[in-house]
Amino acid sequence: MTVFEDIEAWRRERQRLPDGHTLGVVPTMGALHEGHRALIERSSAENTRTLVTVFVNPAQFDDPEDLAAYPRTWDADRALLEAAGVDYVLIPPAEQVYRDGYRYRVIARQAAATLEGAHRPGHFDGVLTVVLKLLLLAGARRAYFGEKDWEQLELVRGMADAFFLPTTIVPCPTVRESSGLALSSRNGRLTP
Ligand code: PAF
C-alpha cells in the first residue's frame, strides 16, 4: 500500500498506471469502519487497483465545533486499509485540496434544500465540491458511495451526470450493527 500525502506525487503515480488496469476510488473522511471496508471490497472485486482518499473536508462542516470534534483515527485507519489490501491512499492537506481558497465551488441549489440539506446550509456544496475534486484527481473508472448517505449519493450521481464525469458512481448497501443502527464514523459520539 502506497500512501500519498502530496497531490502532485499521486498525480504522477496515476499517470504511470499501465493501460489495462482499472482504478476504483473510495472517498472517505477517515474514522473507517466495516461500512468503508465493504466499499473497498466491492472496489477490489470490480477493479484491478483501489485508491482510498482520506480527507476531513472542512468545506462540508457548517459548524466549526463539529469539524473540531470529528474523529481522526489515522493509525487505526491505516491498519484497516492495509488489511483490506488497498493499493493507494491519498491523504492530502487542506491547503492543497483548496489551493483556490474554496473560491470555486459546486452549488447544488434547491436540489440540496431538503432532508439533511435543509438543516445544514452549505453542507452539500462542500460535499459536491470536494467529490468533484477527488474524482478528477483519482481519474478512476468507478467510485463507491454508501446508500446510507442517500441524499449525498443522489446529489453525487446528479453532479456526475450534469458534468459528464467519466467515472461511474456505484451505490453500495448500508452496513448495520446487529441492533440495526447504520454504521457511521459519528456513532462513537452517540450516547447509548
Ligand atoms: O461520505 C463522506 O465520507 C464524505 O461526505 C465524502 C463523500 C468523503 C466527501 O467528503
Side-chain angles (χ1 to χ4, degrees):
M1 181 173 91
T2 314
V3 178
F4 296 88
E5 296 181 11
D6 178 70
I7 282 179
E8 295 310 322
W10 157 252
R11 293 175 92 184
R12 286 193 293 275
E13 177 73 18
R14 176 66 190 85
Q15 280 182 339
R16 282 198 289 267
L17 190 70
D19 288 345
H21 278 284
T22 58
L23 183 68
V25 63
V26 180
T28 82
M29 296 208 298
L32 303 178
H33 49 67
E34 290 304 308
H36 295 112
R37 192 197 290 270
L39 302 180
I40 292 165
E41 283 172 0
R42 177 87 178 263
S43 174
S44 301
E46 295 181 349
N47 303 282
T48 61
R49 294 275 190 277
T50 291
L51 164 72
V52 174
T53 63
V54 177
F55 179 62
V56 181
N57 173 31
Q60 70 187 77
F61 286 81
D62 45 304
D63 173 358
E65 283 181 21
D66 190 30
L67 172 60
Y70 197 83
R72 289 159 174 88
T73 57
W74 172 236
D75 289 343
D77 290 350
R78 189 184 187 120
L80 184 148
L81 293 167
E82 248 169 330
V86 166
D87 301 285
Y88 312 111
V89 181
L90 176 62
I91 175 165
E95 314 82 73
Q96 288 190 8
V97 175
Y98 289 106
R99 60 186 183 184
D100 61 327
Y102 196 34
R103 178 176 180 186
Y104 299 98
R105 58 186 79 180
V106 180
I107 299 176
R109 299 178 70 92
Q110 73 270 21
T114 55
L115 304 174
E116 188 177 3
H119 302 277
R120 300 182 72 186
H123 168 66
F124 283 116
D125 297 351
V127 170
L128 292 183
T129 301
V130 83
V131 169
L132 180 62
K133 286 172 184 269
L134 295 173
L135 293 187
L136 292 174
L137 283 172
R141 173 83 60 88
R142 302 180 185 86
Y144 296 81
F145 291 86
E147 290 175 343
K148 170 177 75 69
D149 298 306
W150 183 84
E151 191 173 18
Q152 168 175 284
L153 171 63
E154 286 305 308
L155 290 168
V156 167
R157 279 206 272 219
M159 178 181 71
D161 182 60
F163 290 118
F164 308 102
L165 297 184
T167 306
T168 301
I169 306 302
V170 182
C172 298
T174 302
V175 179
R176 296 177 185 279
E177 291 181 3
S178 53
S179 67
L181 181 68
L183 293 187
S184 165
S185 305
R186 293 173 184 274
N187 286 0
R189 297 177 59 198
L190 298 176
T191 64

